[in-house]
Structure formats: structure tokens, C-alpha cells
Amino acid sequence: SKWTTKSAIEDLPREQKIIDDLKAEALALGVPAAWAERFFRAQIEAAKLIQHEYFARWEQAGAGPFADAPDLATVIRPRLDVLTPQLLRELAAAWPALADPAHRGRVAAVMQGMLATSRTAAALAAAPLSDGSASMGAP
């Protein structure tokens, strides 16, 4: 959609609104707001990295607009707006394991195994799950 409409990849005001809106919900679910912010910022940065990779590929190929691109405002963002709270609820359900230093090694090992052959964006998005930052904050 952004390629087709020549829109900017980055939308800092929207990103900040998403982060601001989820902090209170994170706290209510027992996830420290600072950790939730770090996790969701990682997801946003990973998404932007992927978009930049696609834009570079399409630029190099001389790609034009995509006729079947879904609309950003009416299709893509509403879907993302549903996924964000769902993901936050899943993180809250997993929070006891994520925040427990005794589980940190197991979580890190699983994540490293999954990311061993993964792209940089996936590693960026998953970093808060395995780097021990979850044990740094209390809900």
C-alpha cells in the first residue's frame, strides 16, 4: 500500500499513539509498561526494516504501483489495531515465564534456535523475548 501510494514508511505520530495507548493496558494485564513499550517498538522497527527491504527490491526492479494493494487506512491498519491488543494479552499470559530469571535461559535458547536462520527483522522483533529485559521491570 505504501509503495503504491508513495507514502512514507515511517509514521512517528501513529507509532507514538500506539505505544501510548498500550501502556495502560499492559499495566492492567500485569506487564510492565516500559517492557511492553520496548517489545512493541521492536515490532514496529522490524516492520519498518522489512518495508525498507521490499522498497529497495521494488526500486531496483523498477516496480510500479500494485493494482491489488490493500488500502492502508481501511484494511491494513484496522487489522493491526486488532492484533496489537491480542498480542499484548498473549504476552501477559506468558509474562510469568518471560519475567522469571529461571526461565530466561530456556526462552533465550528457544528464540535463538528459531532465529538461527532468520532474517534480521525477526531477530529485532524477538529480542525483547530473550534478552532478559523482562526481569528488569515489575508490573
Side-chain angles (χ1 to χ4, degrees), residues 23-103:
K23 286 181 184 180
E25 186 176 353
L27 282 174
L29 292 170
V31 177
W35 190 87
E37 177 177 356
R38 183 168 185 280
F39 177 83
F40 281 96
R41 284 199 186 279
Q43 307 318 297
I44 291 167
E45 291 305 316
K48 290 190 295 190
L49 180 61
I50 290 169
Q51 290 174 64
H52 282 291
E53 289 173 1
Y54 276 114
F55 272 43
R57 186 179 312 148
W58 295 331
E59 180 74 33
Q60 184 177 6
F66 296 100
D68 60 347
D71 184 71
L72 184 63
T74 62
V75 177
I76 297 171
R77 286 188 172 158
R79 288 181 185 168
L80 292 173
D81 291 343
V82 169
L83 289 175
T84 299
Q86 288 176 345
L87 184 53
L88 186 54
R89 287 189 298 276
E90 293 299 324
L91 288 169
W95 185 250
L98 292 171
D100 185 346
H103 293 288

